[in-house]
Amino acid sequence: MSGRVMPCSPREIGSLFLFEKLSAEQLGRLCSDGRVERFEPGPVYTEGDPATCFFVMLEGTVVLSRRVGDDDVEVARTSQRGVYTGAMQAYIGDRVRQVYTNSMRVTEPTRFFVLPADTFASIMQEWFPMAVHLLEGLFFGSKNAQAAIGQRERLLALGSLSAGLTHELNNPAAAAVRATATLRERVAKMRHKLAVIAEGPFTREQLADLIDIQERTAERVAKAPVLSPLEASDREDALTDWLDDHGVGNGWQLAPAFVQAGLDVDWLEQVAAAVGEDILPGAVGWLNYTVETELLMDEIADSTTRVSRLVDAAKQYSQLDRAPYQVADVHELLDSTLLMLSGKTGPRIRVVKEYDRTLPRIPAYPAELNQVWTNLIDNAVSAMDGTGGEGTLTVRTALDGERLLVEFRDTGPGVPPEIRGRIFDPFFTTKPVGQGTGLGLDISWRIVVNKHHGSLAVESVPGDTRFKVLLPLTATDGDGTALGPTPEEAV
């Protein structure tokens, strides 16, 4: 949008804080190379267009906004004389993409001193060569530092996840090793017991009955009900008494395994009726080995299944074997992240899932969304560490208009109002020195807003902090291959 060109007064522009130290000759050059334009209410320039001009407001009101998904989000509104925006990085030249990083409109007739971007760049380099070098160094140094520390942030997160995954894998792996060693011992004893039975006074019919009972016992183990501690204790007492009454030694040692396998007094009565009192102790011992081997094999199966689930979760989390951009189920991503971070949440933090499973799959970069979930969960856990390490983490999904909501709610102390507006700034952290880079939320903001055209916001009161991620249900324009600028803009 073009404004109406008006006379330029060196005295007027010299009264602006940006130019107040310039000489009369310099002010004259600004007026000759630049211009004063008056804009009626409406747009002045649009985000993403080539940055052709540097604007300094003389009088009026300006509003700056950023495009977030399908919405224009207001980031600044001011009537202060001298505020500036537009091609503020023109002095860097082609080393960065020269486009407007926000949209500007005016709400009342507003006058600007307008300087073409090329003129602004040449004047900066001619009048302030040292300042230009310093600003270039600050710009690129900050950009490189942010990239390096961002990589460090990812490596720290990877190290934490690796430690948690190793811990989680160690438990079922160690259980499987222990169960295998015990199973080998039980099988050896079973072979010995089989030799004893073969040499004993068993008829062919009794051996056939015993083998039939063994098969039915194994089937019963697979269908054993889950008992409460009180029910299990009562059943163990009843089995111990029955075994003692029928001359079976060490009944108190056999009873727990029998109860775990789902066996009861009625079952033992059937065994006694099938084999007879004289060989009952040997038959019970043989069945005990059967029960123990079945339980140990169940334990091995459970342990290896747990290992397999963890490996699958790691693959789902890393997305190594999948396309970067795909249609994904956010619940699968959330579950894999929660499983990967289960070592960090620990037993003292209760995790509650409130999923709306009817939500559709969405186009996304799953590996990067997993990083967002990781950062938000890690922050929630850290916040609850300050309240004794106990609390509740609630992960909720829902439909919010035309977008999908993923909400992380924790019962920590909350985010103080005075810093709430800064928590998405790069390098801002509330953690002690050495414990946080201040990039977790900044990276999350960039992934959600710039990469997925969604939004990330926080609502917080003590005991109820909610980070809300809103993602579009359908693909939006743009390939999202580059992370855009930070949410804050200079005015």
Side-chain angles (χ1 to χ4, degrees):
M1 176 179 177
S2 298
R4 181 164 62 91
V5 178
M6 306 179 69
C8 178
S9 166
R11 175 174 294 183
E12 182 181 27
I13 65 172
S15 67
L16 302 175
F17 63 82
L18 196 62
F19 305 130
E20 61 185 359
K21 298 298 183 181
L22 298 184
S23 66
E25 181 182 356
Q26 290 172 321
L27 292 172
R29 180 177 173 184
L30 286 178
C31 267
S32 64
D33 291 348
R35 61 188 183 272
V36 172
E37 286 191 54
R38 184 177 188 270
F39 291 84
E40 297 301 322
V44 178
Y45 64 73
T46 303
E47 178 181 350
D49 287 348
T52 58
C53 295
F54 176 71
F55 295 84
V56 186
M57 191 178 74
L58 295 169
E59 62 177 353
T61 301
V62 300
V63 177
L64 296 184
S65 62
R66 287 288 312 278
R67 191 70 174 172
V68 179
D70 295 329
D71 302 320
D72 287 315
V73 179
E74 183 177 316
V75 295
R77 179 186 293 259
T78 182
S79 299
Q80 181 182 354
R81 291 184 76 248
V83 296
Y84 52 91
T85 187
M88 294 187 297
Q89 295 168 351
Y91 61 88
I92 297 177
D94 295 336
R95 284 175 291 176
V96 298
R97 188 165 173 246
Q98 296 292 339
V99 296
Y100 291 119
T101 58
N102 54 30
S103 296
M104 181 171 73
R105 60 185 175 89
V106 296
T107 59
E108 61 178 319
T110 302
R111 287 191 307 125
F112 291 96
F113 172 68
V114 183
L115 198 60
D118 292 342
T119 304
F120 174 56
S122 62
I123 285 177
M124 285 286 292
Q125 292 162 0
E126 178 183 342
W127 292 353
F128 313 107
M130 182 175 178
V132 168
H133 286 305
L134 290 173
L135 288 172
E136 286 179 345
L138 178 63
F139 178 82
F140 289 110
S142 175
K143 190 174 182 179
N144 293 336
Q146 184 167 338
I149 298 179
Q151 184 66 22
R152 173 66 174 169
E153 177 86 1
R154 291 175 172 86
L155 289 174
L156 288 173
L158 179 61
S160 177
L161 286 172
S162 298
L165 180 60
T166 301
H167 174 76
E168 290 298 312
L169 285 170
N170 182 66
N171 289 335
V177 170
R178 288 193 304 269
T180 301
T182 306
L183 179 61
R184 182 176 289 110
E185 177 187 341
R186 293 296 183 271
V187 170
K189 289 184 177 180
M190 181 178 285
R191 289 197 299 266
H192 174 72
K193 179 65 72 174
L194 180 61
V196 172
I197 290 176
E199 296 173 356
F202 295 92
T203 66
R204 183 185 297 272
E205 290 76 14
Q206 287 176 323
L207 286 174
D209 290 340
L210 187 58
I211 292 172
D212 178 63
I213 291 172
Q214 181 186 34
E215 292 298 326
R216 289 189 285 129
T217 300
E219 293 175 1
R220 187 147 181 164
V221 173
K223 302 175 182 178
V226 178
L227 303 176
S228 68
L230 184 60
E231 290 173 330
S233 178
D234 291 342
R235 187 170 291 188
E236 285 177 17
D237 291 341
L239 287 179
T240 300
D241 292 341
W242 189 95
L243 293 170
D244 290 343
D245 293 341
H246 289 75
V248 180
N250 299 320
W252 60 275
Q253 292 180 319
L254 302 177
F258 283 177
V259 170
Q260 187 179 353
L263 307 184
D264 53 20
V265 170
D266 290 340
W267 181 256
L268 291 179
E269 290 287 358
Q270 296 178 38
V271 174
V275 300
E277 289 289 337
D278 53 337
I279 61 173
L280 179 61
V284 169
W286 169 256
L287 292 178
N288 179 57
Y289 290 135
T290 300
V291 167
E292 288 186 338
T293 55
E294 289 294 324
L295 292 175
L296 287 168
M297 285 190 289
D298 285 345
E299 184 176 348
I300 293 172
D302 289 342
S303 299
T304 52
T305 300
R306 170 72 173 165
V307 170
S308 178
R309 285 182 57 223
L310 286 167
V311 172
D312 287 343
K315 288 177 63 179
Q316 171 74 16
Y317 181 84
S318 64
Q319 298 285 313
L320 288 177
D321 58 346
R322 307 186 184 191
Y325 188 74
Q326 58 180 284
V327 177
D329 183 345
V330 294
H331 302 110
E332 292 179 358
L333 305 181
L334 290 167
D335 285 340
S336 67
T337 304
L338 287 168
L339 186 56
M340 292 289 288
L341 294 174
S342 58
K344 182 178 285 286
T345 54
R348 303 182 70 183
I349 294 179
R350 178 170 170 257
V351 178
V352 177
K353 300 177 184 179
E354 297 179 355
Y355 292 169
D356 180 357
R357 295 286 186 177
T358 64
L359 293 175
R361 298 164 68 89
I362 62 170
Y365 294 85
E368 301 201 28
L369 284 182
N370 281 338
Q371 186 177 6
V372 174
W373 313 150
T374 299
N375 291 338
L376 296 179
I377 292 171
D378 182 68
N379 279 350
V381 172
S382 297
M384 288 184 282
D385 282 342
T387 57
E390 295 183 347
T392 300
L393 170 65
T394 303
V395 182
R396 183 172 72 93
T397 62
L399 189 64
D400 188 314
E402 295 299 318
R403 296 190 290 181
L404 186 149
L405 167 69
V406 182
E407 180 184 83
F408 297 84
R409 184 167 73 242
D410 69 73
T411 56
V415 182
E418 61 270 17
I419 68 170
R420 203 170 296 160
R422 302 172 56 198
I423 60 174
F424 297 113
D425 292 354
F427 308 111
F428 180 78
T429 180
T430 58
K431 297 177 182 177
V433 175
Q435 294 187 19
T437 63
L439 286 178
L441 289 178
D442 171 53
I443 290 172
S444 299
W445 193 94
R446 290 166 178 266
I447 290 172
V448 171
V449 176
N450 295 329
K451 198 95 173 184
H452 290 84
H453 307 287
S455 67
L456 173 59
V458 61
E459 298 176 359
S460 183
V461 296
D464 187 2
T465 297
R466 307 182 185 205
F467 280 87
K468 296 185 174 183
V469 178
L470 286 168
L471 300 169
L473 297 177
T474 56
T476 55
D477 293 337
D479 58 8
T481 55
L483 294 180
T486 56
E488 72 281 353
E489 292 293 333
V491 176

